[in-house]
Amino acid sequence: MNPFISPLIPEMATQEVQLNETLAHLKTESETLKSKLEEERAKLHDVELHQVAEKVEGLGQFVMKTRRTLKGHGNKVLCMDWCKDKRRIVSSSQDGKVIVWDAFTTNKEHAVTMPCTWVMACAYAPSGCAVACGGLDNKCSVYPLSLDKNENLAAKKKSVAMHTNYLSACSFTNSDMQILTSSGDGTCALWDVESGQLLQSFHGHAADVLCLDLAPSETGNTFVSGGCDKKANVWDMRSGQCIQSFETHESDINSVRYYPSGDAFASGSDDATCRLYDLRADREVAIYSKESIIFGVSSVDFSLSGRLLFGGYNDYTINVWDVLKGTRVSILFGHENRVSTLRVSPDGTAFCTGSWDHTLRVRAICSLI
Amino acid sequence: MQDSKSGIKGSDQKLNVTTIPYVITGKDVIAWIANKMKTTVEGLAAQVFGNMLVAYGYIYPLQNHKKLVMCNDNTLYRFQTPYFWPTQKWVAEDSDYAIYLAKRNIRKKGMLEPYEQAHYNHLHKWLNHKWDFIVMQATEQYKAGKERKKPDRVVFDCQERAYWMINRPPRRTHSAMDCGPDRLIDPSVEEKITFDQYRRMNIFYQQAIMRSKVKSSVSLGALVKYVTTYKNHDAFLAPCLPSNPWQTDSDAYWNLNMRRVDVPTKMRVERWSFSLFELLTDLRGRDDFKIFLKKEFSGENLAFWEAAEELKWGTASSMKTKAETIFKTFLAPGAPRWINIDGRTMGLTVKGLEHPHRYVLEAAQTHVFLLMKKDTFFRYLKSPVYKDIQKKALNPEPHNFSPAQLEQNAQSRGPGIHPIILWQQEEEEKAKAAAASAPVDVKAMMSKIDRKK
């Protein structure tokens, strides 16, 4: 009870008390609903993932080798993305440089210098004809690529997205015409590339949004985002509504990635764990962690079949997890500083990691035992 | 770790003329950690942990002080004094660094390394207003240092140098204290949740409770099934035929799987059978499906689906025209490629087209997709078209390169066809196909025949 309600204005006092009571009432209702949701989720939880996976054959020994080391960035590599041709990649770094490489030959094909530092997001267009990037400039810009090596790409730059704070991630949708972005301002947004028009915005995170991933499903209308509020939210692109939300991580979620079937997604967090969330059962179904792993996960991605989950960590290593059994199958070394970004190639033949040690490494299986 | 009995065994080490007490070797540290951790990955995890201890400055290397990693050999290290631990939480201020560099200058001029000299000059400029204070502090510390016994002083110098190596690393040294830009919004700050927010949250919870969920056994079973289905197509689990380009430097695998190959590989054709989504996503598969549909005279469903996709993912400015074309071609009464969807969906779609938006065809598109998925797709898999391509499909022999051949492959890696060129080719083909399959305008045809008469 508020002891400072003036007794001279009894009506206002009653109104204020009523408002406080309604707020408290809403809060209790919220808490009750939240526990009811947990109850409903638990009712359907009849088995654990590793139990269902008992009949699945175990994995053998894995030997993975670095097949390419891409040197050319003068500062921390922050983000990378593969081209649909399965061999080219785009990468961005702290000093504002965005480089397009043919990772197979290790040739640098294009380079752009952004007007800002900390280019935390970059993406390759599905057509292979453009790249998008952004960071501390709060924008996402699209650069059409050219066959002419001497052409100045910055001249044709197109400013598409405008956020009120740093751009943390961006991704093209199924075509070059739309871009999905996430930002430190706590929102995600869908943009029309040609006009720069905002098509849809997504509000719901209580803090910076750090990552996003589009669902690989036949409808292609949803995406998942992860933020500093420890939540992973699934959004409907059409309505802008958050349709599912998961809050089991204990710290910032740095990376989210859909399981190849689109029915689940994995997340990597500063709490040193990776987690798997089942969308149809609406719950977390696995935690990939070890007592000895105490450093945050910066990025995660699945192998083509979804059996392996690769995680890049802040202790300079990559841990490879057996998604079904929940065990770690391999630790990979090589980088001399944090692994900041990790993506499996579109045909699953290799995966690339970018690091604060200024390099990118492409790794593939060495031999199958 | 530092316990004299159960910790790591240290020994005295001679450095120049002085003896440094309690020096440990990298391999002893790693062995101790591995023992404590009881890890199964052969002390690799111990190596990682060891690296982090050095990267954060809890342990520092004695000799190569710029290399902030734990070497699993006789390289020498020492524990950093708790005073300099990062957990002390005091920020390594520029003024502290200036004092440190100034002190080293006082001790002996010209001892600073180039990167340190650069820092010093920079700080001298920016902290000029404080410089008297800085020099005074530096002098005080220098005098205090001289009072100490030589061995203690040498140890302290090592510790201090290690501290600054962590907090102001030279260019090629990677220290773990490096960090990215700060979060904008602090999530731990207790934000007052408003009336509206609570109401929205409650609606969300209610919807979430109402939403149909699936039993774990069912959904997890599906995840396992997916893995099993795709197991042989995962290059990390099964060999790539003829070989993984990243392993052998031969891009044959990519060439065999290009967009417009005449004959696809067996693995690719098998993948088309996994789901309609796979078949349609692989444009080569979609082509094959179209051949089948043409034979069945039921190509309009797929054509509609493709047009709806174009609308959904197209530019905002093109939507109106696209919607009109789609209506005329597929939905209007008597349309040349009229699609057979239920009355209700047709009604909703047509009404929606009065004010077209990118999701206006969603209901119709889903209906058509489900029709194809549940019926047409399975008939395709049983059809002579599919069986024919299965038979014709290539099964490349696995490569068996000799070391000399591998070397040759590595030398002759080519850039392949640039994606931009492939895209241009694709667009040309699409235009040709659209022109060829454009619905025959019967009236125009009839009037042409009439005119000829």
Side-chain angles (χ1 to χ4, degrees):
Chain A
M1 277 292 278
N2 190 334
F4 298 104
I5 297 170
S6 164
L8 298 173
I9 317 173
E11 283 153 16
M12 278 186 68
T14 341
Q15 269 179 23
E16 163 128 18
V17 170
Q18 275 174 357
L19 193 70
N20 277 344
E21 278 174 351
T22 331
L23 200 69
H25 175 80
L26 273 181
K27 187 170 179 196
T28 351
E29 191 185 339
S30 187
E31 272 147 31
T32 325
L33 284 173
K34 192 170 179 187
S35 358
K36 184 137 199 290
L37 178 59
E38 286 312 311
E39 239 179 78
E40 292 295 312
R41 282 173 169 170
K43 268 189 213 165
L44 295 166
H45 180 215
D46 55 347
V47 75
E48 297 290 335
L49 178 57
H50 63 87
Q51 289 173 293
V52 180
E54 250 158 42
K55 318 173 226 127
V56 180
E57 218 181 284
L59 293 170
Q61 279 281 356
F62 275 88
V63 183
M64 286 190 236
K65 250 179 122 189
T66 299
R67 291 291 170 182
R68 302 286 188 275
T69 305
L70 302 176
K71 296 191 187 173
H73 277 291
N75 215 310
K76 305 179 175 69
V77 176
L78 302 175
C79 185
M80 60 83 42
D81 190 19
W82 287 90
C83 175
K84 286 231 158 58
D85 76 347
K86 308 148 192 174
R87 50 186 287 172
R88 283 172 172 77
I89 64 176
V90 61
S91 59
S92 63
S93 70
Q94 182 193 351
D95 59 3
K97 279 251 170 18
V98 175
I99 302 179
V100 175
W101 317 69
D102 174 1
F104 189 62
T105 57
T106 70
N107 288 340
K108 294 194 218 14
E109 293 193 340
H110 311 272
V112 172
T113 307
M114 291 279 283
C116 68
T117 57
W118 288 94
V119 186
M120 296 176 255
C122 64
Y124 222 121
S127 68
C129 300
V131 291
C133 49
L136 285 186
D137 58 349
N138 302 357
K139 296 193 228 161
C140 184
S141 312
V142 175
Y143 290 85
L145 298 174
S146 161
L147 289 167
D148 178 1
K149 295 267 158 100
N150 295 321
E151 191 172 325
N152 179 15
L153 296 179
K156 293 215 187 108
K157 164 178 163 178
K158 205 188 193 96
S159 232
V160 175
M162 286 273 269
H163 277 279
T164 54
N165 219 285
Y166 68 87
L167 191 83
S168 53
C170 65
S171 173
F172 283 90
T173 60
N174 282 7
S175 78
D176 288 15
M177 304 301 147
Q178 287 160 20
I179 288 192
L180 193 58
T181 58
S182 67
S183 165
D185 66 12
T187 69
C188 299
L190 182 66
W191 309 83
D192 177 66
V193 173
E194 190 191 50
S195 61
Q197 188 193 357
L198 171 67
L199 299 172
Q200 184 67 260
S201 66
F202 306 89
H203 298 261
H205 277 288
D208 311 27
V209 186
L210 298 179
C211 51
L212 57 83
D213 191 32
L214 278 146
S217 68
E218 41 208 43
T219 46
N221 288 333
T222 58
F223 73 94
V224 62
S225 66
C228 291
D229 57 355
K230 312 173 205 167
K231 286 212 196 117
N233 291 340
V234 180
W235 306 87
D236 181 338
M237 271 162 63
R238 298 167 293 180
S239 60
Q241 294 299 318
C242 171
I243 47 182
Q244 279 174 286
S245 185
F246 303 91
E247 194 176 350
T248 59
H249 269 294
E250 293 163 22
S251 186
D252 299 4
I253 298 178
N254 295 313
S255 171
V256 284
R257 193 73 63 208
Y258 270 94
Y259 190 77
S261 71
D263 290 329
F265 70 90
S267 60
S269 158
D270 273 349
D271 68 6
T273 67
C274 299
R275 293 171 198 241
L276 185 68
Y277 297 91
D278 183 333
L279 292 169
R280 297 202 294 159
D282 197 25
R283 60 196 319 278
E284 174 195 284
V285 292
I287 306 182
Y288 306 100
S289 69
K290 269 181 118 73
E291 247 182 58
S292 53
I293 301 176
I294 56 175
F295 286 85
V297 189
S298 63
S299 57
V300 294
D301 203 356
F302 286 98
S303 71
L304 191 138
S305 66
R307 183 67 193 268
L308 300 174
L309 180 67
F310 300 100
Y313 287 69
N314 290 343
D315 62 4
Y316 313 178
T317 66
I318 295 148
N319 285 304
V320 185
W321 301 91
D322 179 336
V323 172
L324 301 182
K325 309 254 183 199
T327 54
R328 175 173 62 183
V329 293
S330 197
I331 310 183
L332 303 171
F333 299 89
H335 280 298
E336 294 171 13
N337 206 327
R338 292 194 190 188
V339 178
S340 52
T341 177
L342 186 156
R343 296 297 292 263
V344 173
S345 76
D347 63 356
T349 49
F351 72 92
C352 181
T353 49
S355 161
W356 281 15
D357 70 1
H358 313 186
T359 68
L360 292 128
R361 281 168 187 255
V362 179
R363 277 170 239 249
I365 199 102
C366 191
S367 52
L368 290 155
I369 302 171
Chain B
M1 249 194 195
Q2 298 185 65
D3 186 85
S4 54
K5 293 206 184 71
S6 65
I8 303 170
K9 227 162 158 262
S11 61
D12 289 350
Q13 190 69 34
K14 259 184 148 45
L15 187 74
N16 300 330
V17 195
T18 336
T19 306
I20 306 219
Y22 209 65
V23 172
I24 50 187
T25 60
K27 67 177 206 278
D28 282 344
V29 177
I30 290 178
W32 190 92
I33 299 171
N35 190 28
K36 280 284 161 179
M37 275 178 156
K38 299 185 185 32
T39 66
T40 49
V41 202
E42 283 184 19
L44 285 178
Q47 169 76 63
V48 172
F49 193 71
N51 276 344
M52 287 294 106
L53 285 174
V54 180
Y56 274 98
Y58 290 99
I59 291 181
Y60 63 92
L62 261 191
Q63 291 143 324
N64 191 353
H65 60 278
K66 285 188 188 164
K67 201 160 175 240
L68 298 178
V69 287
M70 181 72 73
C71 300
N72 195 356
D73 52 28
N74 288 319
T75 314
L76 303 172
Y77 298 87
R78 284 195 91 243
F79 286 104
Q80 180 61 289
T81 173
Y83 179 72
F84 282 134
W85 284 1
T87 43
Q88 298 295 7
K89 283 194 181 162
W90 36 273
V91 181
E93 296 278 1
D94 278 339
S95 45
D96 293 325
Y97 193 43
I99 293 168
Y100 168 68
L101 292 175
K103 181 172 63 175
R104 291 206 18 224
N105 250 353
I106 294 172
R107 184 177 309 149
K108 193 172 176 187
K109 264 211 163 345
M111 270 209 76
L112 294 180
E113 295 209 27
Y115 81 93
E116 288 174 319
Q117 190 63 50
H119 274 294
Y120 182 82
N121 297 340
H122 176 84
L123 290 168
H124 187 85
K125 188 166 140 200
W126 286 103
L127 297 176
N128 205 289
H129 55 287
K130 280 211 234 178
W131 207 253
D132 288 339
F133 170 74
I134 287 171
V135 172
M136 185 180 77
Q137 285 288 307
T139 321
E140 284 291 316
Q141 289 190 15
Y142 173 65
K143 283 195 196 143
K146 277 181 93 176
E147 307 266 308
R148 281 193 215 105
K149 281 192 237 151
K150 182 134 193 255
D152 290 339
R153 197 171 61 215
V154 172
V155 167
F156 183 75
D157 284 347
C158 284
Q159 291 168 339
E160 203 182 21
R161 181 182 65 179
Y163 175 79
W164 287 112
M165 187 57 55
I166 294 290
N167 285 289
R168 294 284 186 278
R171 211 170 127 64
R172 296 205 194 292
T173 299
H174 301 289
S175 125
M177 292 305 282
D178 216 349
C179 61
D182 270 322
R183 281 194 213 107
L184 174 69
I185 305 161
D186 187 351
S188 39
V189 163
E190 272 300 314
E191 211 189 287
K192 215 165 175 290
I193 306 179
T194 66
F195 208 73
D196 270 335
Q197 278 174 308
Y198 269 126
R199 259 203 290 197
R200 262 182 280 142
M201 268 163 66
N202 292 350
I203 295 173
F204 173 79
Y205 284 135
Q206 277 159 347
Q207 286 175 336
I209 292 169
M210 298 291 290
R211 189 183 320 117
S212 66
K213 298 182 232 322
V214 166
K215 266 198 287 190
S216 286
S217 49
V218 173
S219 59
L220 295 177
L223 294 183
V224 174
K225 183 156 184 265
Y226 190 93
V227 168
T228 320
T229 310
Y230 284 82
K231 192 168 61 159
N232 293 331
H233 295 255
D234 188 336
F236 285 96
L237 302 177
C240 233
L241 295 172
S243 66
N244 186 327
W246 302 101
Q247 264 186 289
T248 59
D249 285 325
S250 155
D251 58 1
Y253 178 71
W254 289 329
N255 291 334
L256 289 171
N257 285 297
M258 294 213 71
R259 156 75 184 93
R260 289 188 177 274
V261 283
D262 269 333
V263 188
T265 62
K266 278 216 174 352
M267 290 300 275
R268 192 174 185 178
V269 173
E270 181 187 273
R271 208 164 151 182
W272 297 344
S273 69
F274 292 165
S275 69
L276 179 60
F277 180 59
E278 282 287 352
L279 179 65
L280 294 182
T281 314
D282 183 352
L283 295 176
R284 179 66 186 80
R286 205 190 286 192
D287 285 347
D288 207 58
F289 192 46
K290 282 183 190 167
I291 297 174
F292 166 73
L293 292 171
K294 202 161 173 201
K295 295 206 161 136
E296 296 231 317
F297 300 100
S298 58
E300 70 279 356
N301 279 344
L302 183 59
F304 174 72
W305 183 86
E306 282 188 318
E309 284 285 284
E310 288 256 317
L311 179 75
K312 208 161 50 163
W313 306 116
T315 64
S317 58
S318 68
M319 267 182 353
K320 201 153 176 291
T321 28
K322 280 190 183 153
E324 278 170 15
T325 319
I326 291 175
F327 178 73
K328 273 194 242 163
T329 317
F330 299 99
L331 301 167
R337 304 195 80 176
W338 192 78
I339 54 163
N340 195 353
I341 55 177
D342 68 281
R344 186 168 169 274
T345 314
M346 180 64 89
L348 275 168
T349 311
V350 170
K351 189 143 184 20
L353 280 167
E354 283 168 26
H355 303 281
H357 57 92
R358 70 186 52 244
Y359 301 111
V360 69
L361 299 173
E362 197 70 6
Q365 190 183 0
T366 313
H367 181 102
V368 161
F369 188 85
L370 282 172
L371 232 119
M372 289 195 290
K373 183 173 167 175
K374 295 191 172 153
D375 178 51
T376 334
F377 176 59
F378 290 107
R379 281 190 290 113
Y380 163 70
L381 292 180
K382 294 195 199 116
S383 72
V385 175
Y386 184 67
K387 296 232 186 293
D388 189 48
I389 199 85
Q390 266 182 313
K391 243 187 281 165
K392 282 209 202 116
L394 301 171
N395 202 4
E397 281 298 310
H399 280 150
N400 200 348
F401 292 121
S402 67
Q405 283 170 317
L406 286 174
E407 186 58 42
Q408 172 75 335
N409 288 349
Q411 300 295 342
S412 51
R413 287 182 222 148
I417 308 177
H418 200 280
I420 296 178
I421 298 182
L422 281 174
W423 177 251
Q424 289 167 343
Q425 285 175 351
E426 190 62 28
E427 291 294 286
E428 277 170 26
E429 292 291 326
K430 262 205 279 186
K432 271 195 239 165
S437 70
V440 177
D441 189 343
V442 181
K443 280 203 188 136
M445 186 71 81
M446 291 304 292
S447 63
K448 229 195 196 166
I449 296 172
D450 282 339
R451 268 185 271 130
K452 273 200 183 149
K453 281 196 196 146

Tab-separated table of all heavy atoms in Angstrom, chain A residues 13 18 27 36 89 136 206:
chain	number	residue	atom	x	y	z
A	13	ALA	N	-6.965	8.789	-5.235
A	13	ALA	CA	-6.278	7.777	-4.421
A	13	ALA	C	-6.830	6.402	-4.742
A	13	ALA	O	-6.086	5.458	-4.962
A	13	ALA	CB	-6.464	8.099	-2.952
A	18	GLN	N	-6.451	1.225	-7.417
A	18	GLN	CA	-7.048	0.278	-8.354
A	18	GLN	C	-6.042	-0.109	-9.425
A	18	GLN	O	-5.906	-1.267	-9.782
A	18	GLN	CB	-8.285	0.907	-9.014
A	18	GLN	CG	-9.541	0.741	-8.192
A	18	GLN	CD	-10.709	1.499	-8.792
A	18	GLN	OE1	-10.563	2.196	-9.791
A	18	GLN	NE2	-11.851	1.345	-8.170
A	27	LYS	N	0.199	-9.276	-13.064
A	27	LYS	CA	1.474	-9.950	-12.835
A	27	LYS	C	1.243	-11.377	-12.346
A	27	LYS	O	1.878	-12.321	-12.821
A	27	LYS	CB	2.296	-9.147	-11.813
A	27	LYS	CG	3.694	-9.692	-11.649
A	27	LYS	CD	4.589	-8.764	-10.825
A	27	LYS	CE	5.967	-9.410	-10.702
A	27	LYS	NZ	6.764	-8.812	-9.666
A	36	LYS	N	1.412	-22.650	-16.148
A	36	LYS	CA	0.491	-23.550	-16.848
A	36	LYS	C	1.107	-24.013	-18.160
A	36	LYS	O	1.007	-25.177	-18.533
A	36	LYS	CB	-0.850	-22.845	-17.106
A	36	LYS	CG	-1.886	-23.761	-17.741
A	36	LYS	CD	-3.271	-23.601	-17.116
A	36	LYS	CE	-4.148	-24.788	-17.401
A	36	LYS	NZ	-4.557	-24.888	-18.808
A	89	ILE	N	32.879	-17.524	-50.526
A	89	ILE	CA	32.387	-17.014	-49.247
A	89	ILE	C	32.600	-15.512	-49.164
A	89	ILE	O	33.440	-14.954	-49.858
A	89	ILE	CB	33.084	-17.677	-48.033
A	89	ILE	CG1	34.566	-17.355	-48.011
A	89	ILE	CG2	32.873	-19.159	-47.984
A	89	ILE	CD1	35.236	-17.904	-46.790
A	136	LEU	N	28.446	-1.337	-36.991
A	136	LEU	CA	28.276	-0.162	-36.148
A	136	LEU	C	27.664	1.032	-36.873
A	136	LEU	O	27.369	2.051	-36.247
A	136	LEU	CB	29.620	0.255	-35.535
A	136	LEU	CG	30.153	-0.609	-34.398
A	136	LEU	CD1	31.414	0.018	-33.810
A	136	LEU	CD2	29.125	-0.781	-33.298
A	206	ALA	N	13.792	-8.120	-25.093
A	206	ALA	CA	13.947	-7.076	-24.081
A	206	ALA	C	15.349	-6.485	-24.086
A	206	ALA	O	15.649	-5.602	-23.296
A	206	ALA	CB	13.636	-7.660	-22.709
